[in-house]
Amino acid sequence: QVNWQKIRNRYFFGRMEVAREDLGDKEYLLNWSVLTIIIIAILLIYPSYQNNNRERINQVVPLYATEFIHSTGLNGRMFNTYGFGGYLIEQLYPDQLVFIDGRADVYGDKFLSEYLKIVEGKPGWEATFDAYQIDYVVCTRSDALRQLLMQRGDFVLVYDDDVNSVLVKDIPRYAQIIQKHRIELPTKM
């Protein structure tokens, strides 16, 4: 009885061995060429990936706004958006304290009510905000407080990206930052 499967396998694999040729130095050259191409591709793609990753991070936390705060040496009494607190503590503490962070139970109901009144621009927000003697604000572009402070005129927009903003109180302490970084938004007609 003939086992055709064994004959077929011997024929097939035998042909592969015959067709196989020792590449010698060519094999090393080929391997190094492939490795070089992969390394070059990674070096070309990685910066783009990193930049894209930073953009995604900035959608969640004020990455670029925090870099602005560091680069300008901005400090004082900060008001910040609730969701930014933990990140700002990580990046700025101990040099800078935050207004609020994600530990709602630590702050209590009265303080949280005041925070919401301010950030949402509810009636009485100005008196509550002014009582805290805030020097600068780190918020999202969509926060009502951002628009209200810019309309009020005593805070100046000094940093603005697609998601976040930094406003400083228009006082002599921040004159250099305002002079160098003031952002004038076009007025609507």
Side-chain angles (χ1 to χ4, degrees):
Q1 181 173 359
V2 177
N3 187 339
W4 291 105
Q5 184 67 29
K6 282 185 179 180
I7 293 171
R8 202 173 325 143
N9 285 346
R10 252 189 231 142
Y11 174 74
F12 177 74
F13 290 115
R15 279 188 52 177
M16 284 182 62
E17 282 187 31
V18 171
R20 190 172 149 226
E21 167 187 327
D22 189 14
L23 294 176
D25 291 337
K26 293 178 194 173
E27 185 175 359
Y28 292 112
L29 181 61
L30 180 64
N31 286 341
W32 281 107
S33 298
V34 170
L35 181 62
T36 303
I37 290 169
I38 290 171
I39 290 171
I40 290 171
I42 288 171
L43 290 174
L44 292 174
I45 294 170
Y46 186 73
S48 173
Y49 171 78
Q50 277 297 97
N51 192 40
N52 194 15
N53 193 32
R54 287 173 54 82
E55 292 295 328
R56 282 183 272 165
I57 291 170
N58 194 57
Q59 299 292 318
V60 180
V61 294
L63 174 70
Y64 300 135
T66 305
E67 289 174 355
F68 173 81
I69 292 168
H70 276 296
S71 70
T72 58
L74 186 59
N75 63 12
R77 288 192 178 108
M78 176 195 334
F79 182 92
N80 60 278
T81 299
Y82 178 83
F84 294 171
Y87 178 77
L88 291 169
I89 288 171
E90 178 189 335
Q91 297 298 312
L92 302 174
Y93 184 82
D95 299 328
Q96 182 62 60
L97 301 177
V98 299
F99 185 81
I100 193 167
D101 62 66
R103 302 170 296 165
D105 55 330
V106 172
Y107 293 101
D109 293 341
K110 181 179 183 278
F111 183 82
L112 288 173
S113 294
E114 289 177 344
Y115 166 79
L116 289 172
K117 180 193 292 186
I118 293 169
V119 80
E120 294 173 359
K122 292 181 179 176
W125 75 270
E126 285 181 282
T128 306
F129 180 81
D130 292 340
Y132 285 104
Q133 300 176 337
I134 301 299
D135 295 319
Y136 73 99
V137 176
V138 181
C139 61
T140 66
R141 291 184 80 186
S142 62
D143 283 343
L145 179 63
R146 176 184 180 267
Q147 282 33 280
L148 292 169
L149 289 174
M150 290 187 338
Q151 284 177 350
R152 195 166 94 162
D154 60 337
F155 276 77
V156 177
L157 183 65
V158 291
Y159 174 82
D160 200 39
D161 63 34
D162 292 342
V163 187
N164 305 303
S165 298
V166 176
L167 297 97
V168 297
K169 192 164 192 169
D170 193 359
I171 55 177
R173 175 181 180 183
Y174 299 122
Q176 286 184 326
I177 293 172
I178 291 171
Q179 182 181 5
K180 187 173 181 180
H181 299 283
R182 176 187 289 266
I183 298 171
E184 296 289 341
L185 297 177
T187 56
K188 294 180 181 177
M189 294 196 174

